Amino acid sequence: MERQRLVALFRNWSDIEAVANLSPLYQLLGNAVAADEELLDLAAEALPGQPPPNVLFAAVHARLAQHLDHPLAAYYSTLGGSRAAAPEAVGLFREFCISRRRELLPVVRARLVQTNEVRRSAVLLPAFASVAEDAGQPLAVFEIGPSAGLNLLFDRYRYRYGTTELGSPESPVLLVSEPRGMPPEVLMPAVASRLGIDINPLDVRDPDDVAWLKALLWPEHTDRMALLEAALSVARQSPPELLRGDLFELLPPRINATPPHQVVCIFATFVLNQFSPAMLASLRKMLVELSVSRPVYLVVMGFTEFIEPGTPWIGDAQVWVLRLRGGRGEYRLASIANPHGRWLDWRPNSPWNPWRPKY
């Protein structure tokens, strides 16, 4: 990667991402890496297409969990540390990276950024419920890029939307949300089957994969760590089926084999933005072809331009549902406050055609 661009990525990490995610430590370290040639060299070893700041900091987080006696660990709340971010942490971070470069390199060179944020299920649930209600059938759920597949298990969690509670009362995972607008009217949909397809699925029973999932969290986010550990305990009881390989080869035959009394519900959270224009075009073509023989629903969170290009929207937490039948589509916004929004017609020759993205 061009050095100037790499520096800009770490500056952006400090000035925007670390601030937004309330991480004083990463804010401090991001600017330090941007000014350090040796640390930039290490970060530049990340796989093509992977964000070097996420990879480097997660690699350090993962290795530091194996060296809790190192003084740098005292700055990581997720590792039991209690020290606030301070300039001294920069020197400790640099020393850790340089002295353990040979340990870090294999991680940086091999790992993908596959954060499995369980709290997304609280935003996805109203969309899943609306699909089940609209189709009048239990869900056959398919996730694109599931990481460890924790959001595939959404029906095994507890939810609290304001004063409304639903879900599994015995679940150790409690997802709390404050709905904006009217109180939610959401019923837990029945799930008949679930499947995820990823180029590199993570196994909840593999200690290295679990360690990487934890390392991807930010050092001050102890609440997310506790939630991840609870979700992992649920997943280990009955892990979701995850397939490794090409989405376009593996998904169609599994959808075609889905019993007719189940509705096909595909979903993607913050993954379509990583697709190339050619992959996005292939996904559109595949969805249209699949919908000729049976209804297909697609739920998208993040990169919602895939469904409604060019239309202003509030933020990445929005969830859109695309319904395809007989090769034609309709789409609508699904939210906690309004899970049953009006369907908008897809007109092939309209400038709002969801199959004509802006590149």
Side-chain angles (χ1 to χ4, degrees):
M1 180 180 291
E2 181 185 346
R3 185 52 57 102
Q4 187 175 1
R5 179 166 176 250
L6 188 59
V7 169
L9 287 172
F10 277 94
R11 295 290 185 202
N12 180 78
W13 174 274
S14 285
D15 299 339
I16 298 177
E17 295 193 46
V19 173
N21 285 282
L22 305 177
S23 179
L25 181 62
Y26 277 176
Q27 184 179 2
L28 188 68
L29 296 180
N31 280 319
V33 174
D36 192 300
E37 292 298 321
E38 287 188 272
L39 295 182
L40 287 172
D41 285 341
L42 178 58
E45 296 289 335
L47 288 168
Q50 294 301 303
N54 301 68
V55 175
L56 175 63
F57 289 125
V60 172
H61 198 172
R63 297 310 303 167
L64 192 59
Q66 304 298 318
H67 301 281
L68 293 177
D69 57 335
H70 193 281
L72 179 62
Y75 294 89
Y76 284 70
S77 299
T78 48
L79 300 179
S82 59
R83 298 195 64 177
E88 296 78 30
V90 172
L92 293 172
F93 181 85
R94 187 179 194 282
E95 184 275 326
F96 187 88
C97 289
I98 301 304
S99 65
R100 291 176 169 79
R101 178 182 172 87
R102 295 179 68 177
E103 293 180 39
L104 293 169
L105 269 176
V107 182
V108 173
R109 288 172 173 170
R111 283 293 185 179
L112 307 178
V113 177
Q114 296 175 279
T115 308
N116 211 164
E117 180 53 67
V118 186
R119 285 186 288 198
R120 293 175 186 169
S121 286
V123 187
L124 291 167
L125 177 57
F128 294 148
S130 72
V131 169
E133 182 182 32
D134 188 70
Q137 295 176 319
L139 302 178
V141 186
F142 301 87
E143 184 175 7
I144 299 173
S147 182
L150 301 182
N151 288 307
L152 279 165
L153 305 175
F154 70 92
D155 56 322
R156 300 180 188 170
Y157 305 148
R158 288 188 294 150
Y159 297 84
R160 181 179 299 153
Y161 298 116
T163 59
T164 301
E165 294 198 16
L166 69 155
S168 175
E170 304 300 324
S171 178
V173 178
L174 173 62
L175 303 175
V176 180
S177 303
E178 182 179 344
R180 298 172 182 174
M182 297 297 291
E185 296 180 3
V186 178
L187 297 178
M188 183 65 69
V191 178
S193 64
R194 63 193 96 222
L195 172 72
I197 299 176
D198 201 306
I199 58 173
N200 183 53
L202 301 181
D203 188 345
V204 296
R205 296 159 297 190
D206 184 307
D208 289 338
D209 283 353
V210 169
W212 182 245
L213 279 173
K214 293 180 178 180
L216 286 166
L217 301 183
W218 296 46
E220 295 88 353
H221 295 183
T222 53
D223 57 336
R224 293 176 65 200
M225 182 68 77
L227 197 57
L228 174 60
E229 290 177 341
L232 287 168
S233 71
V234 172
R236 289 191 190 100
Q237 295 175 18
S238 181
E241 182 183 5
L242 303 178
L243 298 182
R244 180 188 303 272
D246 188 330
L247 169 74
F248 304 108
E249 292 181 3
L250 298 174
L251 186 58
R254 293 301 293 262
I255 287 180
N256 290 331
T258 300
H261 61 273
Q262 300 173 15
V263 59
V264 172
C265 181
I266 307 166
F267 75 100
T269 65
F270 298 93
V271 68
L272 299 186
N273 59 298
Q274 300 179 39
F275 278 33
S276 67
M279 291 174 66
L280 291 171
S282 295
L283 179 58
R284 294 185 186 94
K285 181 176 183 290
M286 180 182 72
L287 292 172
V288 170
E289 291 176 348
L290 287 169
S291 75
V292 171
S293 58
R294 66 182 305 154
V296 173
Y297 292 77
L298 174 70
V299 174
V300 176
M301 180 181 183
F303 196 67
T304 52
E305 273 200 9
F306 181 79
I307 289 182
E308 196 184 29
T311 302
W313 45 283
I314 299 172
D316 283 338
Q318 283 195 334
V319 177
W320 290 83
V321 179
L322 176 65
R323 178 177 67 184
L324 297 110
R325 297 177 295 186
R328 298 182 63 85
E330 304 161 292
Y331 58 104
R332 71 182 182 190
L333 176 66
S335 68
I336 294 172
N338 182 28
H340 313 300
R342 179 171 62 90
W343 288 105
L344 303 175
D345 290 335
W346 167 48
R347 299 185 299 276
N349 298 320
S350 165
W352 301 111
N353 176 7
W355 305 119
R356 191 187 304 158
K358 295 168 62 178
Y359 298 121

